[in-house]
Amino acid sequence: MVVDDHRLLAEALASALKLRGHRVLAAAAPAVGAADLVISRAPEVCLLGTAAPAEPGTFDPIVKIKRERPQVAVVVLGPVPSPRGIAAAFASGASGYVRHDERIEGVERAIMKARAGEAAVAPQLLQGAFGELLNPVAQPDDEGQRLLQMLTPREVEVLVRVAEGEDTRLIAAGMGIAASTARTHVQRVLMKLGVGSRLEAAALAARTGLLDRAGPVG
């Protein structure tokens, strides 16, 4: 069974597999309910296409399929993910992971391995995954992004103006709001950032790169 959000891809792959002697129960492109569809048809192997293996919840259908139909082998078809993406697929119960630009022979090999109860993943993917795990790329500190997500757009503007040294009167004039409203916004920003003064807020914003992410005001 072939399941992919893009019906054309699902049907094309299904046709190619049929020409090579495989019995395809269905080729579908359900926006939702993929797991239920697979559970109802109970194929030996399900090829599950995804365009975003890193998105949260992408592999939830596999968890449901394996819970209801543990005998179904699920092989994920998708772009080259991070090592964590491959790990997430297998942790959810997948039997294999195949690049979506793989030749039909590679897909067929993955199907046969999955049917035999073996892990179906290309050596190149494993090599790349191990290489990245052994030599990780340094990730920038994301504290600034986390803090930015805590603030509303208006509060971000207030923080930027505070960091630029504007007092309550200037903040109110620049944003076209009452001074009391500006003062309330400032207090909310301080509370959300967990600091006790405007100076601390400005220092925290500068240290975490929050100001660079926020951009200029006005």
Side-chain angles (χ1 to χ4, degrees), residues 86-135:
I86 295 178
F90 279 95
S92 68
S95 299
Y97 194 105
V98 180
R99 288 174 51 152
H100 59 185
D101 59 353
E102 178 63 82
R103 296 173 63 87
I104 187 63
E105 293 84 1
V107 176
E108 190 174 34
R109 283 194 297 270
I111 290 174
M112 303 309 290
K113 282 189 174 183
R115 286 183 64 188
E118 301 176 22
V121 58
Q124 296 89 336
L125 280 182
L126 285 180
Q127 290 171 2
F130 280 125
E132 188 172 332
L133 288 173
L134 292 173
N135 301 285

Side-chain angles (χ1 to χ4, degrees), residues 31 42-43 61 69 91 93 95 99 108 116 131 151 170 178 189 205:
R69 299 283 189 181
S95 299
R99 288 174 51 152
E108 190 174 34
L151 305 176
L170 288 176
V189 169

Side-chain angles (χ1 to χ4, degrees), residues 9 12 15 19 23 26 31 35 63 67 87 97 106-107 109 117 124 163 198 212 215:
L9 295 179
S15 297
L19 290 174
R23 181 183 174 214
V63 176
R67 183 174 62 244
Y97 194 105
V107 176
R109 283 194 297 270
Q124 296 89 336
R198 298 184 181 209
D212 294 332

